[in-house]
Amino acid sequence: MRVLELRQLVRDHRIRYENDEPTIPDADFDALFRELQDLEAAHPELASDDSPTSEVGAPRSATFAPVEHTVPMMSLDNSFDEDELREWSERVARGLEVETDAEIGYMCELKIDGIALSMRYEDGVLVQAATRGNGRVGDDITANAMTIEVIPKEIDITGGGPRVLEVRGEVYMPVPVFDALNVAQEAAGLPRYANPRNTTAGSLRQKDPSITASRGLAFWAYQLGQVEGGPELASHSAAIDWLGELGFPINPERRPVPTFDDVIAFARHWHEHRHDLDYEIDGAVIKVDSLDAQRRLGSTARAPRWAMAYKLPPEEKTTTLLDIQVSIGRTGKATPFAVLDPVVVAGSTVQMATLHNSDQVALKDVRPGDTVIVRKAGDVIPEVLGPVLDQRPADLPEWQFPIDCPTCTHTLVRPEGEAHTFCVNPLCPARQQTQIEYFASRGAMDIEGMGEKVVSRFIEESLIADVGDIYGIDWDRVLELDRFGETAVRNLQASVDASKARPLASLLVGLGIRHLGPSGAEALSSAFGHMDAIIAADVEAMAAVDGVGPVIAQSVADYFASEKALALIEKFRAGGVNLTGPERSELPQVLDGLSIVVTGSLENYSRDGAADAIKSRGGKNPGSVSKKTTAVVIGSEPGASKVTKAEDLGVPMIDEAGFEQLLETGVVPGVESDAEPEPDAD
Ligand code: IVH
């Protein structure tokens, strides 16, 4: 019977989901759950107390002690479009016996894609933190929750604070933290984590709290549980404001709104802008704001009637893995990638996705012919999560990494202890092509017009074979090529000429030396002042430069030990390319030890210009705000997450005029300097 089958499926998938091993996308799970709900609603005779539709979540795990929730941790009913949300608001109006939605009053919140947590404070002290579990009994994860920096361990209850306070909210992993974790995983040759939500779940379920502590988890409070004492609260929005005053992180995007039209505007806004946030959301949650109205509406066995989730369309899809191919990068790295039956994910068509390396393919165990789950990691890079094993055809063979380079047929090599496999033929055309494209890219020599097609044609026509040849191109010959018009050729020539004056650091970046990124290249070019001095420097001298270190130093030394690299440098010299680093800064180092973040556009400085102005005065210019940030310079259209972070951490924010003052004096306008300590409070 379908209803029994659906119950079993929902139960199984819930357990897999809670164990971080989902085998179907969230949207498919929602569809199964919805089908079961609809079937039970249409046939009340099939209703059963042990149906997963009357349970809140998955059963608890055996590792942690049980915690019985004083107030059950309910789930939410889901709506998947505006009509369903409107139907809910109409049900609410009927339940409250009001004529129009304007008499209701709603609180709109983001639906944070993380793990629900309930925290109990007694006499102002955090005494227990528990997961939702099955809604009635959860897991005691106090020791792990204690390591989350933003969670208050104590609250101020002087002046009539609550004797007992239960705060509920969502633990989540910010996307930049998740991405950094995966970079570290890859560097260590370990498998990538699938998504921030599952990683949060895994991080909270560690037996060793120091692992949880290292995961950079964050938290938003969105609901009260049991409360004894404290102020009289009339609305949910007032309750959240109060939690904010007590020191809990509360989400800045929440909006108490008067009408259902405002609710729709909120839902539509986040449908469009979900990726403006640096954490993942899977929808919005709309709550009736008045606490009295909430009491009158009550709950079903599973979810409150006064709240409704508005789920955003899935960012995961399933499709067929047509093939696994291997591409050769500029360093010769052979990267396997998935060729997919084209599928639209998060608004764009995906037909290829990286599989990183052979270990990842083996770990994910994806095979050509599989149905695979595809998602957009950070919603930009498509990623294959894994196969849908239930749909694997019988006897599908495992995929084998190729033995030879698919471009030049040289045998591929996997160095011992490395996660990656390489084509070691320096003349491999695929390597040359990607190396030249990289050299010409914006982050390196910025040669406009020297894209994939032009590079490939120039190689084909033997106009260039390596990056050094760019500065000796015979432009008259280019003019003779078909599809190369006079204006386009002259523009390309002008871009090549202009690139000769690019800073030495850009040239170093363009060489594609392993481990050497823009900041290392900048450090080397300022420390040694000339390409020849870098070539002549020994490993120790380079490793002693601030921001370089032994790994980069060794890699740079290895690179310049080759005849081929030295021949390239001679081609640059002959072509008139700048090999000289920046003049040693004569400016007073007033920003020494300070860290200044810039967000938004400034009138008088480009992004690079502002960075130069900071660095040439001894300051640091990181890309994100942290506790260590001295000040954030706010230009026009600043990044919302940087501003919020600065507000949360109390980092001073200054405008462009303040920035100029800071560059001159080294003192953040409006902030007392260390030289003038505050007088003692008593
Ligand atoms: S309120 C009684 N508000 O969504 C109402 N939940 O699918 C309890 N969630 O278990 C939940 N953001 O883990 C609420 N702003 C928000 C939320 C939120 C995310 C999660 C929460 C809940 C799940 C239900």
Side-chain angles (χ1 to χ4, degrees), residues 438 443 504-510 513-531 534 541-556 560 581-582 615:
Y438 178 75
L504 175 58
S506 306
L507 180 62
L508 284 167
V509 169
I513 302 171
R514 206 158 176 229
H515 304 300
L516 184 69
S519 51
E522 221 169 275
L524 282 179
S525 75
S526 344
F528 291 98
H530 198 279
M531 181 68 97
I534 298 173
M542 285 193 274
V545 174
D546 196 16
V548 178
V551 176
I552 298 178
Q554 188 62 56
S555 177
V556 174
F560 287 120
K615 289 179 190 162

Side-chain angles (χ1 to χ4, degrees), residues 74-76 78 109-116 132 169-170 222-223 285 287 304 306-307:
M74 304 214 108
S75 193
L76 290 169
N78 291 325
E109 294 174 3
L110 297 180
K111 189 166 185 318
I112 315 297
D113 201 5
I115 300 295
R132 189 175 65 168
E170 202 84 350
Y222 52 60
Q223 199 66 39
V285 181
K287 298 173 182 172
W306 44 262

Side-chain angles (χ1 to χ4, degrees), residues 87-102:
E87 282 162 20
W88 166 74
S89 133
E90 287 164 2
R91 279 200 302 280
V92 167
R94 281 196 300 278
L96 295 176
E97 297 176 340
V98 295
E99 292 294 315
T100 68
D101 59 86

